[in-house]
Amino acid sequence: NPFAGLVSHLRASWLSGKTRPMEYRTAQLEALGHFLDDKKQEILEATASDLGKAPFEAELSEIFLCKNELHETLNNLSHWMKDEQVDRTLAMQLDSAFIHKEPYGVVLIIAPWNYPIHLFLVPLIGAIAAGNCVIVKPSEVSKNTERLVAEALPGYLDKDCFAVVTGGVPETTRLLENKFDYIFFTGSPPVGRIVMTAAAKHLTPVTLELGGKNPCYVSNTCDVTNVARRVAWGRFFNAGQTCIAPDYLLCTIEMQEKLLPALHKAIDDFYGPNPRESPDFGRIVSDKQFQRVQRLLGSGRVAIGGQTDEAERYIAPTVLADVQPSDPIMQEEIFGPILPIIIIANMDEAINFINSRERPLAVYVFSSDDKVVNQVLERTSSGGFCGNDTLMHFTLTSLPFGGVGNSGLGMHHGKFSFDTFSHHRGCLKRRMGWEHLNAPRYPPYSQQKFGVIRATSKVTRKNDCTLL
């Protein structure tokens, strides 16, 4: 296997204990900060070349949010690494019981093309913080960013413990044949199954950050202008190539009539009368993705937008009305700047519609009535949830980010990243002496001995008392 030598070299480094001291982890994390600072312009240029990303969107999503993760981790790492003391029974009062956070070993991070810096760097921060060695596999689809990461990143990190591997499906397939101690994958559910199958051969634990169709229910009681602006921003940010973008709207026919002019105005306010000329609207990443997304324009009726330019891989911010649940656009994650509207009669029907499909990465709801927001929260299931906005839950390092069911498993961000890449080892340290205290557990057994064990080791219900 072409990667066996690399994996074994990293495993030898990990076994040496080199990555475990806090000072080492901190130095490598600080180096990631230097990478972001030094290569800021190159990152903006590479993401512009790959995805037509506006500098504002690239700096916000690929640099600023990564720096937040980095600072959150550096600020709290010493606290997160500490052993966590736990409760003990009466029999264990002289002993030490604690949870010890230790690194898994050699970690593989496979990143996608839509946020090609953020989606490898944020898990990498967690993996380094937890004391692991890491191989990063950036996406070959965002080729300019892949080249930048492969050429620049190794110069900032310890080459004995961290590596970047490039290539397409054949290389990734060979890479996955190796035994890793943890695999973190971001991508589509079909590829997630392939990764999980490869991991199962070695009983390797995985985090899968997958996608899905994120519903957005708009109730009849809301500020239509605000809803339109927040939905349009979330859908058309990065030209719709965002795993947590609102994928489709659910609303009544009356609300659709109000929303369409408001969405038209929001798109015009954001990108002007011709979004193709806007410096703030991106492009589809590849010809293959362009053709896939363009085919989806055949569903329903184009109410706003619909223009395309294959040479530029441009698809205008588009809203589709009269969409049926059986239409092609409702059978796959859109991952492009198209927003279909599905008509429902009321909130109950919207919730039933959401629950009849695979569990999404995010559920969105807009309503001026908090009861409606809470009903949607309580009666649906998704990786994350955001009421009266889109995308913004993702920006908080204090919230876990991850999927459920078909949208993924596991979570990261902030401390959740550290915990994901740490094995939580349950530890008990007892004294060598005091052997007479152990006598009740040894044969020959008796009811009297069991009574002593029960009295000293029992976990009682609150407001319950034990009579000795």
Side-chain angles (χ1 to χ4, degrees):
N1 185 288
F3 303 108
L6 176 63
V7 175
S8 64
H9 179 78
L10 263 60
R11 178 157 285 111
S13 296
W14 180 72
L15 287 169
S16 75
K18 187 178 189 181
T19 60
R20 289 185 178 238
M22 197 188 90
E23 296 73 22
Y24 178 88
R25 305 181 196 194
T26 301
Q28 298 301 304
L29 290 170
E30 302 262 16
L32 287 183
H34 298 319
F35 165 75
L36 287 173
D37 290 337
D38 297 349
K39 300 298 175 186
K40 175 181 169 179
Q41 194 53 40
E42 288 96 318
I43 290 169
L44 298 182
E45 288 167 8
T47 53
S49 300
D50 289 330
L51 291 133
K53 270 195 209 226
F56 181 97
E57 290 190 359
E59 185 166 354
L60 174 61
S61 61
E62 308 283 14
I63 298 171
F64 175 75
L65 290 179
C66 290
K67 294 290 277 288
N68 279 359
E69 286 283 339
L70 200 52
H71 296 159
E72 172 78 4
T73 303
L74 286 164
N75 289 346
N76 294 285
L77 185 56
S78 61
H79 174 63
W80 295 347
M81 285 176 65
K82 282 194 175 98
D83 289 342
E84 202 176 311
Q85 301 298 318
V86 298
D87 293 341
R88 292 154 296 162
T89 58
L90 183 62
M92 303 274 192
Q93 285 303 303
L94 297 173
D95 306 318
S96 173
F98 56 94
I99 300 163
H100 182 65
K101 287 71 167 269
E102 61 180 33
Y104 273 106
V106 181
V107 169
L108 172 63
I109 295 172
I110 303 176
W113 49 260
N114 58 326
Y115 291 90
I117 298 291
H118 182 110
L119 292 175
F120 89 78
L121 201 65
V122 172
L124 178 60
I125 290 166
I128 291 174
N132 298 281
C133 289
V134 188
I135 291 179
V136 172
K137 166 63 184 70
S139 171
E140 74 284 2
V141 177
S142 43
K143 54 185 183 292
N144 293 291
T145 314
E146 177 198 41
R147 183 164 59 245
L148 170 63
V149 172
E151 290 174 2
L153 188 67
Y156 288 83
L157 296 173
D158 180 351
K159 291 183 179 63
D160 287 330
C161 301
F162 306 101
V164 177
V165 165
T166 59
V169 173
E171 289 82 2
T172 309
T173 305
R174 297 306 307 274
L175 187 60
L176 283 165
E177 291 169 7
N178 294 278
K179 177 177 170 26
F180 290 95
D181 301 298
Y182 203 99
I183 297 175
F184 189 105
F185 169 80
T186 305
S188 67
V191 182
R193 288 185 178 90
I194 293 168
V195 171
M196 200 168 179
T197 302
K201 288 180 182 145
H202 302 289
L203 292 179
T204 297
V206 295
T207 290
L208 303 176
E209 296 286 2
L210 309 178
K213 296 186 74 62
N214 307 309
C216 179
Y217 170 58
V218 181
S219 84
N220 282 347
T221 56
C222 64
D223 183 318
V224 178
T225 303
N226 290 352
V227 172
R229 291 173 70 83
R230 295 173 197 186
V231 167
W233 178 74
R235 173 72 278 187
F236 303 123
F237 191 95
N238 199 33
Q241 298 164 113
T242 305
C243 56
I244 51 166
D247 194 273
Y248 60 93
L249 291 185
L250 293 165
C251 66
T252 62
I253 190 87
E254 298 83 11
M255 179 47 64
Q256 177 180 264
E257 296 317 304
K258 295 177 187 170
L259 264 176
L260 284 173
L263 283 165
H264 197 289
K265 182 173 187 326
I267 291 167
D268 193 70
D269 287 349
F270 292 174
Y271 308 113
N274 184 4
R276 185 174 162 185
E277 293 171 1
S278 168
D280 298 324
F281 187 71
R283 298 296 183 264
I284 303 300
V285 71
S286 67
D287 294 335
K288 181 181 168 188
Q289 286 295 325
F290 174 86
Q291 284 147 17
R292 181 191 64 78
V293 177
Q294 187 179 40
R295 280 196 296 274
L296 300 177
L297 289 168
S299 299
R301 163 178 69 86
V302 175
I304 301 168
Q307 301 84 1
T308 65
D309 181 337
E310 188 159 7
E312 269 193 47
R313 298 196 301 273
Y314 167 77
I315 295 175
T318 299
V319 180
L320 300 178
D322 306 332
V323 174
Q324 299 303 312
S326 57
D327 285 343
I329 199 161
M330 292 305 292
Q331 311 315 311
E332 62 180 276
E333 186 178 0
I334 296 166
F335 232 66
I338 309 174
L339 183 66
I341 301 177
I342 299 276
I343 298 301
I344 42 89
N346 51 43
M347 180 190 71
D348 287 337
E349 194 180 314
I351 288 170
N352 290 339
F353 186 88
I354 292 167
N355 289 339
S356 70
R357 302 169 83 87
E358 293 281 12
R359 286 185 283 181
L361 196 51
V363 162
Y364 298 110
V365 53
F366 286 87
S367 179
S368 303
D369 184 348
D370 214 36
K371 288 194 181 72
V372 172
V373 175
N374 287 333
Q375 282 274 305
V376 175
L377 171 60
E378 294 296 334
R379 292 169 57 193
T380 61
S381 173
S382 62
F385 174 89
C386 189
N388 292 324
D389 210 341
T390 61
L391 310 191
M392 291 305 291
H393 62 294
F394 179 84
T395 65
L396 285 176
T397 59
S398 50
L399 283 177
F401 177 74
V404 61
N406 205 60
S407 57
L409 61 96
M411 56 191 171
H412 73 305
H413 281 192
K415 184 173 187 292
F416 302 98
S417 295
F418 176 85
D419 287 341
T420 283
F421 290 109
S422 300
H423 168 57
H424 288 57
R425 192 177 188 183
C427 303
L428 176 68
K429 290 203 290 198
R430 308 208 72 191
R431 293 162 187 263
M432 187 57 81
W434 301 91
E435 181 61 8
H436 64 281
L437 296 178
N438 294 324
R441 75 182 200 220
Y442 296 144
Y445 300 132
S446 69
Q447 278 305 113
Q448 184 187 9
K449 284 183 172 181
F450 193 80
V452 173
I453 288 173
R454 188 170 54 213
T456 58
S457 301
K458 184 179 181 182
V459 177
T460 58
R461 286 287 302 274
K462 292 276 169 70
N463 305 322
D464 192 10
C465 62
T466 303
L467 294 176
L468 292 178

